[in-house]
Amino acid sequence: MATGAFHSAVSLTVNGKGCDLTVDHRATLLDVLRERLDLTGAKKGCDHGQCGACTVLVDGRRANSCLLLAVAHEGCDITTVEGLRADDGGGGSEGQGGGDGGEGHLHPLQRAFLARDAFQCGYCTPGQLCSAVGAIAEAAAGHPSYATDPGAEPGDPVALSRDEIRERLSGNLCRCGAYPHIVEAVEDVTR
């Protein structure tokens, strides 16, 4: 597809692999991931940024991919649930597929979700996982939330209590009600 009045070339790094695409200016990052790159982990839930099912990491920060125009993310590093791996904090992997080959290659949060049965239907799980990876990184970097003690020293890492975890993951909805197990799984990884 040629670039033109309604299309532009965009270069992204997705799960550690460079991708050069020509995209419609109106195409969301979610649609490009799912329809052009066959990465179907991120789900289209509400398509309004309210449910978190489409959460991915953009340059290490969590984002609702249904609200992001792909063309606006030239040069960005995108990590989807397929790119989470055992030996990192979610920075991507070689290749794009989830081809794990076993639990040993799963990200620690993925293993904790399995151990805690932190999913039921599984629809929200990819977004929950990416959001949790981002939330853990934000807390480690000292970014406060509404649940952070107001007396905490600015910039110091924030301990992830149950209230902190709940607050930081509040943008990710689970219709099945697996929240207690999700919180426990995140606690397991952050202890």
Side-chain angles (χ1 to χ4, degrees):
M1 184 182 302
T3 60
F6 302 109
H7 296 86
S8 291
V10 64
S11 293
L12 306 169
T13 300
V14 181
N15 298 333
K17 182 179 178 184
C19 298
D20 295 319
L21 303 161
T22 300
V23 299
D24 186 301
H25 293 162
R26 300 163 296 178
T28 65
L29 181 58
L30 176 63
D31 289 338
V32 168
L33 292 170
R34 291 182 60 81
E35 296 170 13
R36 299 284 304 278
L37 299 177
D38 294 323
L39 295 169
T40 57
K43 303 293 189 240
K44 186 174 278 201
C46 66
D47 216 15
H48 295 288
Q50 297 174 345
C51 73
C54 66
T55 304
V56 298
L57 300 170
V58 178
D59 293 334
R61 304 271 324 229
R62 55 198 171 138
N64 292 331
S65 61
C66 73
L67 297 179
L68 305 177
L69 293 175
V71 73
H73 289 80
E74 170 71 29
C76 287
D77 184 12
I78 312 298
T79 303
T80 68
V81 70
E82 292 93 342
L84 298 180
R85 60 183 191 185
D87 60 343
D88 72 4
S93 67
E94 294 180 24
Q96 295 178 16
D100 260 323
E103 273 189 52
H105 299 295
L106 296 176
H107 185 279
L109 274 167
Q110 291 171 313
R111 287 194 306 270
F113 268 57
L114 285 170
R116 290 290 187 170
D117 197 23
F119 53 89
Q120 287 183 30
C121 79
Y123 196 82
C124 74
T125 304
Q128 297 276 3
L129 286 163
C130 286
S131 187
V133 168
I136 291 168
E138 290 164 12
H143 299 285
S145 77
Y146 285 111
T148 304
D149 178 0
E153 196 64 37
D156 281 356
V158 178
L160 286 175
S161 66
R162 284 181 176 226
D163 287 341
E164 277 286 344
I165 294 167
R166 284 185 192 105
E167 171 61 30
R168 289 174 187 270
L169 298 183
S170 64
N172 290 79
L173 304 180
C174 172
R175 292 182 63 173
C176 302
Y179 297 117
H181 299 291
I182 293 168
V183 171
E184 291 167 355
V186 174
E187 280 181 317
D188 288 350
V189 171
T190 58
R191 286 188 200 155

